[in-house]
Amino acid sequence: MENALKPASQRVQTFLSERGKALKVKQMPASTRTASEAAEAIGCTVGQIAKSLIFEDKASGNPVLIVASGTNMVSMDKVKVNAGLDLKKSNADFVREQVGFAIGGVPPIAHKQNVITLLDADLKQFEVIWAAAGTPNSVFELTPQDLDDLTQGRWVEISQ
């Protein structure tokens, strides 16, 4: 028996469906809040987790999404050099206000507003990746090409 999706996850599923993607949001019995928890719950490698991190552009104050491989730490210096953005970390209130999702469940899609999106080039090495789907225990499977199509992000080297 499949449980009904929570509203935040349903928003992600609707976004996927409206874009013609046959990708399905799955609610997991265990937490997928962190990359390691998600990998354990799914049964994949931590590198296959596409974690969505929201930063704030220092110049404009706008949100910037970085979708990073679960094993990678974001290098602010590399982002500045490779993408021309000077970023600062954002707090939970900023994330929820700007994209409409809470930290630990931020998906790479279906945000309240358009966001500048940078994609970790390391994700391209995997045939299949997994991303958060709006809650701390919902995910969806996709390919790096799907991620590119859905986010219109820019692939850059961002890891330390």
Side-chain angles (χ1 to χ4, degrees):
M1 176 189 278
E2 196 170 313
N3 293 336
L5 295 176
K6 293 181 180 175
S9 295
Q10 185 57 57
R11 196 162 109 210
V12 172
Q13 186 62 67
T14 299
F15 182 95
L16 293 169
S17 298
E18 287 175 348
R19 278 144 189 87
K21 295 289 184 180
L23 305 171
K24 288 285 187 203
V25 171
K26 298 177 182 179
Q27 297 206 147
M28 306 301 285
S31 173
T32 57
R33 183 178 297 275
T34 68
S36 58
E37 287 175 349
E40 186 174 327
I42 294 163
C44 68
T45 67
V46 176
Q48 287 176 274
I49 302 301
K51 58 186 178 183
S52 296
L53 307 168
I54 300 292
F55 293 88
E56 186 176 346
D57 178 22
K58 287 182 183 178
S60 67
N62 291 328
V64 175
L65 168 67
I66 297 181
V67 183
S69 172
T71 55
N72 290 346
M73 296 286 292
V74 174
S75 166
M76 299 293 208
D77 291 335
K78 280 191 177 178
V79 169
K80 192 170 188 175
V81 168
N82 296 333
L85 294 170
D86 192 11
L87 304 179
K88 67 179 184 177
K89 290 183 179 179
S90 57
N91 64 34
D93 290 337
F94 178 85
V95 172
R96 185 180 288 279
E97 178 184 303
Q98 297 295 316
V99 298
F101 296 98
I103 291 174
V106 175
I109 57 172
H111 303 131
K112 281 175 48 175
Q113 62 176 304
N114 289 332
V115 295
I116 295 168
T117 302
L118 303 177
L119 306 173
D120 183 352
D122 285 351
L123 289 168
K124 287 184 174 183
Q125 69 185 296
F126 301 105
E127 285 185 38
V128 171
I129 55 178
W130 292 83
T135 70
N137 69 334
S138 61
V139 294
F140 67 103
E141 179 181 5
L142 70 164
T143 66
Q145 184 61 51
D146 290 327
L147 182 65
D148 188 46
D149 294 345
L150 290 165
T151 65
Q152 298 296 300
R154 190 166 80 189
W155 294 96
V156 293
E157 296 291 331
I158 54 92
S159 66
Q160 290 184 348

